[in-house]
Amino acid sequence: MDNGEFEMRRLLAKLVNGGISRREFAERALGMGFGLVTAESILDTVAAGQDRKKRAAVARETEAFRAEPFSQKTPYEQWMAQERVPIHTGYFVANVRRLEVKPWERVGASGAFIDLTGAEGTDGAYVLDLDPGKSTKPQRYLFEEAVYVLDGEGETSVWHEGRSKHTFKWKKGSMFSPPLNVWRQHTSRGKAKARLISFTDLPLMMDIFHSAEFLFNNDFVFRDRYNYQPDYFTVNESKLKGGGSAATFGEEERAAVRILDTGLVPDVNALELYEAKSRGAKNKSIEMVFSDNVLQTHISEFETGSYKRAHRHGPGSHVLVLNGIGYTLAWKEPVKYSEAPKDRQVRVDWTDGTLLVPPDRWFHQHFNTGENSAKYMAATWIGGKYFVKGMGGGGRTHRLNTVSVHQGGNMIDYADEDPMVRAIFEEETRKHGVRVRMPDRTKGEPHEKH
Ligand SMILES: [Fe+2]
C-alpha cells in the first residue's frame, strides 16, 4: 500500500466515523491529487451507506408492528395505539395549540394524533412540538402530508437517499410539504417551542397496506414530484397555475383564479385571495397544492357579520381556523336544519386554533360572529390538481359544492335555508355587537346558477 492509498483509507475511516466533515474530506482529497468527481462520488457512496444504516434501524423499529387480522380496529387504529402518544378523537378539537402531547419515540419529539369522526379513516392529523434547537429524527415515509406551523420558527431538510440535503425555513403561519417519501428532518430555530400540525393520508395508506415497514422503509423515489428544483420551496409567479376547482369557485369565477402549486408558502395568512361568492356572500379563497400531493388545501376568508352557504361532501375535510370568532353548524339531513334529528346535529364554536371535520355528507355551514374577518385553512379531497373519486366520493362530491341542491348539487342557497339558521345567526351577532352583512334571505345572493 503506497502512502497516498494509506492516507485515503485513513481519511475515509475518519469521514465514516464523523471525524472530519464532508467539506474537509473533499479539500484534502483534492490536495492529494484526486479529482473533484472522484471526491464527490466517494462522498455520495459513504452517504448512501450511512442512510442504509439508519434505514436498518428504522426497519427494526417498524417491523415490530403487525396489524391484527379479523379485528374491529383498523390497521391504522392499531398502529396509532402502539406509537404510545395521545390520540384525540371526536368531531372537533377546541384548540390544537393546547392539545396534550407526549414524547414520541419514532419522531424524536413530543406529539399526538388527531383522529376525528368526519375523517372516516381517509386522512388524519398529528401535532409535533420541538424545543428550541431540537430536531426530529430523520424520517422517510410513503404518505402525503401538509404541515402548518402553529407556533415558532425553524427549518426542514429534505433529501433523496444518498444525496445532499435541501433546506428551507419556516415560521408561524408557514405551510409546506416534504414531498412524498423523501427523507425529512425538522429543526426548531426559535427562542420558544415550535408546534407543527400535519395533515396526512396515512390512515388510508396504513389501512390498505397494513405494513409499517412498507410505508416507513420504502426505497422508491418519486422524482416526478420533486427532484431538487432550486425554487421548489418558495412562492413566485411561476407557482400560480391552472384555474380554481369547482369545489371552491363558481363557473364564472374560475377564469380569474389561479391555484398555488408549490412546496412551501412562507405565510398563508398573507396570501392574496380570489372572490368566491358561490360559496358565500362575502367569501374569498385560494387553493394550494403542496408538493404535487393529491390531498389538497385551500384558504377561505369571510367578512364580519357574514356566513357561508351550507354544503356537503364526502369525508376528510380538516378545517383549521386561522383567525376570527364564529361557529359551524353541521347536520345530516334534511335541507332544513331544524328538522334534522338532534343526534344528527353538531355545533362547534370556534376561534384561532379550532380544528373540525364535518361528518361524511353532512350539511355544514360556517358563520362569522366576530368584529373582523374570519379565515380558515382546509385540507381536503377537493380534487383540484388531481381528480380522485375515491375517499367517499372525494373530488366528485366536492365539485358539487357550488351547485344548488335543486340542480342535483350539494349547496343550499340562502333562499332555501331554514329560517332558523338566519335567526340563530342574528342572535349570535347581536351578542357580539356585530352588524349582520347578509343579503335579504328571501331574495338570496345573485348566483350564477339562478
Ligand atoms: Fe365543506
Side-chain angles (χ1 to χ4, degrees), residues 3-9 11 27-34:
N3 272 351
E5 198 181 331
F6 178 77
E7 182 62 14
M8 177 47 83
R9 281 176 181 245
L11 266 185
E27 282 171 0
R28 288 170 67 172
L30 291 176
M32 289 165 63
F34 288 92

Side-chain angles (χ1 to χ4, degrees), residues 279 311-313 317 319 358 364 366 376 398 401:
R279 290 286 303 275
H311 69 286
R312 63 177 173 179
H313 44 68
S317 286
V319 177
H364 50 282
H366 309 298
Y376 65 74
H398 282 277
N401 282 351

Side-chain angles (χ1 to χ4, degrees), residues 377-406:
M377 188 288 300
T380 74
W381 299 110
I382 206 172
K385 186 169 182 182
Y386 299 103
F387 182 27
V388 217
K389 277 197 179 174
M391 283 49 102
R396 183 180 58 76
T397 58
H398 282 277
R399 284 183 176 198
L400 297 169
N401 282 351
T402 50
V403 181
S404 165
V405 286
H406 293 307

Side-chain angles (χ1 to χ4, degrees), residues 349-371:
D349 292 286
W350 46 252
T351 186
D352 183 357
T354 303
L355 177 69
L356 62 106
V357 183
D360 184 14
R361 289 188 174 83
W362 285 31
F363 287 111
H364 50 282
Q365 194 159 13
H366 309 298
F367 302 82
N368 180 356
T369 54
E371 289 175 0

Side-chain angles (χ1 to χ4, degrees), residues 25-86:
F25 174 83
E27 282 171 0
R28 288 170 67 172
L30 291 176
M32 289 165 63
F34 288 92
L36 185 62
V37 174
T38 309
E40 282 182 344
S41 73
I42 292 172
L43 284 168
D44 280 351
T45 308
V46 169
Q50 286 169 336
D51 275 349
R52 265 195 296 280
K53 274 189 205 163
K54 281 180 209 152
R55 196 177 63 208
V58 171
R60 277 195 295 279
E61 286 171 25
T62 55
E63 276 165 14
F65 171 71
R66 290 280 183 274
E68 195 65 43
F70 312 108
S71 168
Q72 293 304 306
K73 289 202 177 300
T74 66
Y76 177 62
E77 287 165 341
Q78 296 177 40
W79 177 81
M80 276 194 298
Q82 57 96 53
E83 291 292 295
R84 302 188 186 287
V85 293

